[in-house]
């Protein structure tokens, strides 16, 4: 029996493209011909679509391959971010996809799934998708992006390493083919982020890969309601539970919290007591807190447009290489979020009456990203912290504590009530044949729900019915409120299971933009000493 069939097949692929190779380098104009030969029918293909960094040149080249030769592709992609990613399905090149996040492509993806053009294997968490690359989604070919390469294929990813090494490793060490687009081929890279013997082919792209400022929120758009919710989170959760290590998801709510730490947080004398160690993309809105001495460390999932020089100038805060640039690592940050931090705060599009939430809604399949990794109680954790130990489960005394998982949402949105008796995701999943309902965070893992009306301390409930009562108590004015009478609401407030702003001693009149430590990206730039560079899209 032969035990090296995969290796032989890889050599066959390399031999088939050898006439295009100069060492490991392929000419820019030859990439489509190379892909036609290197990729085979039915391959499991990784196409790097990270949260921010996109292998855009290779994605566009993939749309130009001969679909009579390259078809039936099983696409594996962390983030569906570009039109080309879904064009592959309309061109009948790909037919099945496993992914984690869809973001700006969520509406188009929903339509293509409903019409049967796209088949979804599963909507994963990031960590889950990476893990399966080493188990049952082992890739045949991997298409990724880097900033620079040398002639030996050593790659420099700079501030935007993200998950590239993990995608490459899963392929390279199982005899798959690794092709990398780079912005520039140089004699010597500033540092080696991925060694050349993991890489088979490099090609200089016809233009630099695009970077989206995904986690940048303009303070000008922060509303009073965001500030009110931020005040409740700081006083009613962070201070109450002594939260020092945490993550914020995407959204104006988290950015509002970051921007009022140097103002409202200072008023509460909380500096040095909360929000010191972050697992976070480098949010510009955290700069005032960093400059005011709130932050001790920040490990980044990915880079953020405009933050490179600031991170380079603050190595005591950020993880940086000898060259000075940020070292981001999405898989290890997901791991830090899973086991190393005390609290996850995220927003959601829809929540049912028992706290289950999803970003899969009618007409949108947004995916989950890392929220389910960070937004659940990590039962494998063993180390102590005050925040983690602040929530005790008397039924499981040996467990010690649990992670704090905070979901924040407005009671009503432009799509109607945010709370639904049944998540739309349930029927959507059934309709398109998903074996597992696409729920982002399960209600039993949520410890706190925050609306503009107050905080529901869900970790204190004893039954599902009581969980529903607490949610109804902070969601007045919509159908859910019928499950909690005004009398019952008062009882729950007296028991400390619900806190309204007045219960927390918060003056609602204070919840306005005067509380923000920076009211625009221009002010953030000035606070950074000019190190922060405002992305072009925010200057238009």
């Amino acid at each position: 029996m032969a035990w090296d069939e995969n290796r032989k097949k890889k050599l066959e692929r390399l031999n088939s493209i050898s006439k295009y190779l100069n060492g490991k380098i392929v000419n820019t104009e030859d990439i489509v011909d190379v892909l036609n030969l290197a990729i085979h029918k039915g391959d499991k293909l990784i196409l790097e679509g990270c949260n921010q960094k996109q292998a855009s040149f290779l994605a566009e080249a993939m749309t130009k391959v001969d679909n009579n030769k390259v078809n039936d592709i099983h696409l594996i992609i962390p983030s569906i971010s570009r039109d080309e990613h879904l064009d592959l399905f309309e061109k009948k090149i790909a037919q099945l996809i496993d992914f984690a996040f869809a973001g700006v492509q969520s509406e188009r993806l929903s339509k293509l799934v409903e019409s049967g053009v796209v088949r979804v294997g599963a909507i994963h968490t990031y960590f889950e998708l990476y893990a399966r690359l080493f188990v049952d989604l082992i890739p045949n070919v991997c298409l990724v992006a880097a900033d620079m390469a040398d002639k030996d294929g050593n790659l420099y990813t700079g501030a935007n390493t993200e998950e590239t090494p993990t995608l490459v490793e899963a392929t390279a060490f199982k005899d798959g083919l690794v092709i990398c687009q780079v912005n520039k081929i140089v004699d010597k890279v500033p540092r080696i982020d991925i060694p050349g013997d993991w890489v088979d082919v490099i090609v200089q792209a016809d233009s630099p890969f695009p970077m989206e400022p995904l986690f940048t929120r303009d303070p000008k758009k922060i509303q009073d309601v965001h500030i009110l919710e931020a005040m409740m989170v700081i006083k009613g959760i962070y201070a109450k539970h002594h939260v020092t290590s945490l993550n914020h998801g995407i959204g104006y709510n988290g950015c509002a919290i970051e921007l009022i730490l140097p103002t409202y947080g200072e008023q509460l004398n909380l500096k040095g007591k909360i929000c010191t160690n972050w697992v976070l993309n480098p949010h510009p809105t955290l700069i005032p807190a960093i400059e005011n001495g709130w932050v001790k460390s920040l490990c980044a999932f990915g880079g953020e447009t405009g933050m490179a020089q600031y991170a380079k100038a603050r190595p005591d805060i950020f993880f940086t290489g000898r060259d000075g640039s940020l070292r981001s690592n999405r898989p290890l940050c997901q791991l830090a979020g899973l086991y190393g931090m005390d609290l996850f705060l995220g927003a959601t599009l829809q929540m049912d009456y028992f706290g289950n939430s999803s970003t899969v809604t009618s007409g949108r399949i947004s995916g989950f990203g890392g929220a389910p990794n960070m937004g659940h109680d990590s039962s494998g954790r063993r180390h102590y912290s005050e925040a983690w130990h602040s929530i005790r489960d008397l039924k499981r005394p040996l467990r010690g504590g649990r992670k704090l998982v905070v979901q924040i949402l407005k009671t009503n949105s432009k799509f109607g009530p945010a709370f639904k008796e049944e998540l739309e995701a349930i029927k959507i999943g059934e309709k398109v044949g998903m074996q597992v309902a696409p729920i982002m965070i399960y209600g039993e893992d949520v410890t706190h729900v925050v609306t503009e009306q107050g905080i529901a301390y869900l970790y204190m409930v004893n039954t599902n019915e009581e969980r529903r009562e607490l949610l109804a108590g902070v969601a007045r004015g919509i159908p859910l409120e019928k499950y909690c009478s005004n009398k019952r609401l008062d009882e729950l407030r007296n028991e400390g299971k619900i806190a309204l702003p007045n219960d927390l001693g918060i003056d609602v009149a204070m919840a306005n933009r005067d509380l923000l430590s920076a009211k625009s990206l221009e002010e953030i730039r000035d606070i950074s000493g000019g190190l922060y560079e405002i992305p072009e899209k925010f200057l238009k």
Side-chain angles (χ1 to χ4, degrees), residues 4-39:
D4 59 352
E5 291 299 320
N6 291 333
R7 190 159 299 170
K8 290 175 182 176
K9 289 177 181 177
K10 177 177 179 175
L11 289 174
E12 290 173 2
R13 292 180 196 248
L14 284 171
N15 287 335
S16 72
I17 63 173
S18 59
K19 66 179 180 180
Y20 296 102
L21 293 175
N22 178 12
K24 293 187 176 183
I25 300 172
V26 165
N27 291 331
T28 306
E29 61 273 16
D30 292 332
I31 190 61
V32 175
D33 292 330
V34 167
L35 296 177
N36 270 322
L37 294 169
I39 300 173

Side-chain angles (χ1 to χ4, degrees), residues 4 10 72 83 95 136 327 339 343 348 400 415 482 489 497 517:
D4 59 352
K10 177 177 179 175
D72 198 28
D83 291 340
Q95 54 90 29
D136 62 335
R327 170 67 175 189
Y339 286 118
L343 177 142
T348 187
F415 303 106
K482 68 183 179 182
L489 173 58
K497 294 180 178 179
S517 57

Side-chain angles (χ1 to χ4, degrees), residues 198-370:
W198 296 14
V199 179
D200 301 297
V201 178
I202 53 177
V203 57
Q204 184 164 319
D206 53 12
S207 60
F209 59 75
M211 277 291 297
E212 289 297 322
L214 184 64
F215 288 86
T216 298
R217 293 293 179 270
D218 191 338
K220 292 176 182 176
K221 295 185 178 181
I222 292 177
Q223 302 170 9
D224 289 353
V225 66
H226 300 135
I227 298 168
L228 176 60
E229 289 175 331
M231 294 170 72
M232 287 192 285
V233 168
I234 289 174
K235 192 168 186 181
I237 301 177
Y238 293 0
K240 176 183 174 68
H241 295 283
H242 306 282
V243 173
T244 56
S245 58
L246 69 160
N247 166 266
H248 285 171
I250 300 174
Y252 288 102
N253 311 95
C255 290
I257 295 170
E258 293 152 23
L259 284 170
I260 69 171
L261 285 175
T263 56
Y264 185 60
E266 294 273 355
Q267 292 173 22
L268 298 177
N269 192 31
L270 292 173
K271 186 162 74 171
K273 301 174 183 177
I274 65 168
C275 301
T276 55
N277 303 94
W278 294 75
V279 181
L280 192 72
N281 271 65
H283 291 191
T285 44
L286 198 58
I287 287 176
I290 293 173
E291 295 299 303
N292 275 272
W294 279 77
V295 179
K296 292 181 180 178
S297 68
L298 185 150
C299 64
F301 299 85
E304 184 68 2
T305 306
M307 286 290 286
Q309 293 306 311
Y310 183 75
K312 188 174 184 178
R314 300 289 184 270
D316 284 352
I317 303 298
F318 298 93
F319 289 75
T320 57
R322 288 185 178 182
D323 67 315
S325 68
L326 179 73
R327 170 67 175 189
S328 61
N329 189 310
R330 195 171 305 282
L332 289 184
C333 279
Q334 292 291 333
L335 186 61
L338 187 62
Y339 286 118
M341 72 181 192
D342 293 324
L343 177 142
F344 165 74
L345 178 140
T348 187
L349 295 177
Q350 200 173 92
M351 180 175 283
D352 72 13
Y353 289 0
F354 298 101
N356 301 298
S357 64
S358 185
T359 50
V360 175
T361 60
S362 181
R364 299 175 71 183
I365 300 179
S366 299
F368 306 139

Side-chain angles (χ1 to χ4, degrees), residues 152-163:
D152 294 320
N154 295 306
L155 302 181
Y156 172 70
T157 50
N160 301 292
T161 300
E162 302 192 53
E163 59 258 59

Side-chain angles (χ1 to χ4, degrees), residues 99-120:
F99 73 104
F101 185 63
V104 295
Q105 296 293 335
S106 61
E107 293 183 14
R108 184 183 176 198
L109 176 62
S110 178
K111 292 176 182 176
L112 292 177
V113 169
E114 285 212 16
S115 65
V117 173
V118 175
R119 286 175 46 223
V120 175

Side-chain angles (χ1 to χ4, degrees), residues 25-189:
I25 300 172
V26 165
N27 291 331
T28 306
E29 61 273 16
D30 292 332
I31 190 61
V32 175
D33 292 330
V34 167
L35 296 177
N36 270 322
L37 294 169
I39 300 173
H40 297 173
K41 174 182 172 68
D43 273 348
K44 289 185 178 70
L45 173 72
I46 290 176
L47 177 55
E48 183 173 17
C50 297
N51 255 356
Q52 292 133 300
K53 178 160 64 83
Q54 311 295 326
S56 53
F57 171 70
L58 290 173
E60 184 178 358
M62 275 298 301
T63 66
K64 299 175 182 177
V65 299
D66 183 351
N67 63 4
N68 291 312
K69 297 177 180 178
V70 181
N71 55 58
D72 198 28
I73 295 299
H74 182 169
L75 191 62
I76 303 167
I77 186 166
S79 179
I80 305 170
S81 307
R82 298 182 60 82
D83 291 340
E84 293 92 339
H85 297 162
L86 295 178
D87 291 346
L88 293 175
F89 292 87
E90 293 187 329
K91 291 176 178 286
K92 301 187 184 306
I93 295 165
Q95 54 90 29
L96 175 65
I97 192 165
D98 279 280
F99 73 104
F101 185 63
V104 295
Q105 296 293 335
S106 61
E107 293 183 14
R108 184 183 176 198
L109 176 62
S110 178
K111 292 176 182 176
L112 292 177
V113 169
E114 285 212 16
S115 65
V117 173
V118 175
R119 286 175 46 223
V120 175
I123 306 174
H124 302 72
T125 75
Y126 283 126
F127 221 21
E128 180 182 16
L129 185 63
Y130 309 148
R132 289 190 67 194
L133 298 179
F134 295 88
V135 184
D136 62 335
L137 288 181
I138 298 171
N140 304 106
V141 180
C142 178
L143 308 180
V144 292
D147 187 14
M148 300 179 194
D150 62 23
K151 62 181 178 60
D152 294 320
N154 295 306
L155 302 181
Y156 172 70
T157 50
N160 301 292
T161 300
E162 302 192 53
E163 59 258 59
T164 313
T166 303
L167 305 181
V168 171
E169 183 166 345
T171 312
F173 287 88
K174 208 65 173 67
D175 295 314
L177 197 68
V178 176
I179 301 175
C180 182
Q181 71 169 74
V182 296
N183 297 334
K184 189 185 300 184
I185 297 175
V186 297
D187 292 331
K188 184 179 180 180
V189 293

